[in-house]
Amino acid sequence: MNPSSLAVRCQNVVKIYATGDQKVTALNGVNLDIAMGELMMLVGPSGCGKTTLISVIAGILDQDSGCCEVFGEDLLNMSNQHKLKFRARNIGFVFQAFNLLPALSAAENVSVPLIINGMKRSDAERKAITVLDQVGLGERVSALPSELSGGQQQRVAIARALVHSPKLIVCDEPTSSLDHETGCNVMALLKEVALHKDRALVIVTHDARIFDFADRIAEMDDGHIVEVKDKMTQLLKNIEHG
Amino acid sequence: MNHIALKMLMGDRGKYLGIVMGLTFASLIMTQQPAIFLGLMSRSYSFISDVGLPDIWVMDAKVQFVDDIKPLQDTELYRVRGISGVDWAMPMYKGLLKARLVDGTFQTCNVVGLDDATLIGGPPVMMEGKLEDLRRSDGIIVDVDGARDKLGKPSPTPGGKRISLKVGDSVELNDHRAIVVGIAKVTRTFQSQSVVYTTYSRAKSYAPKERKLLSFVLVKAKPGQDLAELTRRIRATTGLAAYTRGEFISLTYEYFMHNTGIPINFGISVLLGFIVGAAIAGQTFYNCTLENLRQFGVLKAMGASNWVLLRMILLQAVLVGTIGYGLGVGLTALFGYSMRHSILAFKFPWQLLLFSGAGVSLICVFAALISILKVIRLEPAIVFKG
């Protein structure tokens, strides 16, 4: 893979959690490349290190050793201030529990990343409304999260992840709180509005029903990447298994 | 981010009101109780502040406060008059005497005897009659609160309001007839006894026979005379105590501060108000932050710095602090206004606003600080935990 087209390059990333005398190796030498324009899914059993890996990739957790470069920048060697700005500009988040601020309306929630990036509140809200319109919530811009269904809340979360045009979007179990149909709709929306050649998507999921949306699937176990399958391999495997 | 901070704060109305109520309560207690305390303490020296003309009060050296009368011989007056720098010196009698009312009941009242010729040391405001009327036979001037209440005539209907003494009414002071010739407005005293003014010679005739009856010598310094120097001279020449008005007020105030339980009692109330207010507001504010911790984590993950989050929490603390303080102080002012005609002592100087403001600020800083520490230590990776 051409390094200039890489969004993320993880090399031998190790992360160990220490609680008292106990040490748990969450990432044990992870190597993974994610290209621009790619939708990569991280799958694997609970506790295999998926969430730790996207936390490292998103720059909200420091690895103990190894290198994780995002758009060519080594996150570990960045100052905290630089990392904050880097995150604010380049990373969008979609969470399992949506994590919308309950006291803010949909438009206000979506405007938060823009305000963090220094945009004026009125401009930010105007832009947020445009993005909400893109995700099909143009009519619900003033609704509070509690007034929205699960699928609608996840759409707001997607709009929030997109609004500041980040180059990397990390999603943690974006469909696990949704029924199958809504989950598929959310994934279709993500792929449609979020994915393009200058942006990469990393999605952690257990939900096998959405695997078809991935360009590649990295299977993790016990802190390692066990296998990275592309769409063709996945297709052949499915045929082999009848 | 300010509007986000405010919406996060007010998102949960119950908790928001809980914090504001806690701070209102703290502010109310920290303002109202000291206001009553200051009101009470100012009554301890109100008799001195009501006597406007003299610069210096001369008395027995053992006197500890204004009501601690240790009488002097009349000759001391002449000794003081002979001291250089003294413009004039007048006698004053102050003592507690029993007044027999129309219905046969007795009331202790504070009788003040003024120099017969000049009537110096009289009441600050006359409501009925004139000060000079004291020169009329058996004349006394009664303070308006005493005339309405303690020295008033019994109501014709059982349990009814007493009938106020009027000019022309009579009472008995130590078996001597006294005719009310005027009604005066005086500042309430600490003991809240009725104040009766009369002439010095008449006061001496009312008082039980004693060799010494002169309570104070009121001194006016000659123009340009240094008061500190003059008090030193009076002390050195007569062996008596001599205080400027301010010094005598301080002496009385300090006596009540150190020899009564009043400061401790009020201090405990204020401290309790502070502690309960801090506990309610601090705990609720901290809980509010804890419940919003995930939201702070989301903001942190999205690139908000600790400084931004700290400013958000401080803004929240300042807002609830300002509202709580304003409500507390407002309620205190309302309380004071509604009690202005009652017997309640209440003094609300601007310094008290600073005092309670500092107390509420301290609570807010404490509440914000524990929340800020929690948020600063927060790992943004919390957002990926289910």
Side-chain angles (χ1 to χ4, degrees), chain B residues 11 26 75 134 154-155 163 175 190 192 235 237 256 259 273 283 301 348 355 365 367:
Chain B
T75 50
L134 277 184
S155 166
I163 299 167
D175 288 337
F190 193 79
S192 293
R235 275 199 295 268
T237 312
F256 278 87
N259 295 286
Q283 179 69 27
F348 197 3
F355 170 76
V365 166

Side-chain angles (χ1 to χ4, degrees), chain B residues 237-360:
Chain B
T237 312
T238 62
L240 301 173
Y243 302 108
T244 61
R245 200 158 74 117
E247 286 169 348
F248 195 27
I249 284 175
S250 295
L251 183 81
T252 300
Y253 184 81
E254 291 298 319
Y255 177 85
F256 278 87
M257 283 294 280
H258 295 127
N259 295 286
T260 66
I262 299 165
I264 294 174
N265 291 335
F266 279 94
I268 288 170
S269 294
V270 172
L271 189 68
L272 274 179
F274 179 81
I275 291 171
V276 174
I280 297 173
Q283 179 69 27
T284 322
F285 195 83
Y286 181 62
N287 278 348
C288 214
T289 306
L290 279 188
E291 279 177 21
N292 287 335
L293 214 53
R294 201 179 180 83
Q295 298 172 34
F296 283 117
V298 170
L299 295 175
K300 224 170 178 176
M302 289 196 294
S305 64
N306 278 337
W307 172 237
V308 168
L309 301 183
L310 186 145
R311 267 181 13 221
M312 289 172 72
I313 292 174
L314 280 180
L315 176 71
Q316 292 176 337
V318 166
L319 180 83
V320 289
T322 309
I323 295 174
Y325 172 67
L327 284 175
V329 165
L331 285 173
T332 302
L334 199 66
F335 171 83
Y337 183 75
S338 61
M339 293 289 166
R340 68 193 184 285
H341 297 308
S342 75
I343 197 166
L344 187 91
F346 191 84
K347 192 176 181 184
F348 197 3
W350 62 268
Q351 289 91 337
L352 203 49
L353 291 174
L354 296 184
F355 170 76
S356 57
V360 171

Side-chain angles (χ1 to χ4, degrees), chain A residues 70-178:
Chain A
V70 181
F71 312 116
E73 294 207 54
D74 183 359
L75 296 175
L76 195 61
N77 293 327
M78 272 185 198
S79 68
N80 276 341
Q81 203 57 31
H82 188 182
K83 205 186 281 183
L84 277 173
K85 280 189 182 152
F86 181 85
R87 262 197 334 249
R89 246 181 267 128
N90 298 308
I91 317 279
F93 293 90
V94 178
F95 306 102
Q96 177 183 2
F98 320 131
N99 282 343
L100 299 174
L101 306 186
L104 304 189
S105 69
E108 286 169 331
N109 260 296
V110 174
S111 68
V112 169
L114 296 171
I115 293 169
I116 289 174
N117 276 301
M119 191 183 274
K120 261 175 61 186
R121 186 179 152 201
S122 52
D123 295 341
E125 283 184 17
R126 211 169 302 125
K127 185 160 183 202
I129 290 168
T130 316
V131 181
L132 277 171
D133 206 31
Q134 277 178 8
V135 298
L137 285 175
E139 305 293 312
R140 306 301 313 270
V141 292
S142 305
L144 293 174
S146 57
E147 296 163 348
L148 299 171
S149 68
Q152 286 174 322
Q153 287 189 56
Q154 197 59 299
R155 280 165 185 260
V156 175
I158 290 168
R160 182 176 66 180
L162 285 172
V163 73
H164 54 306
S165 309
K167 293 197 279 183
L168 175 68
I169 294 179
V170 290
C171 310
D172 183 37
E173 304 277 9
T175 58
S176 70
S177 305
L178 308 172

Side-chain angles (χ1 to χ4, degrees), chain B residues 9-24:
Chain B
L9 172 70
M10 296 176 199
D12 187 334
R13 286 280 159 84
K15 287 222 163 54
Y16 168 63
L17 288 177
I19 302 168
V20 170
M21 291 314 292
L23 288 168
T24 302

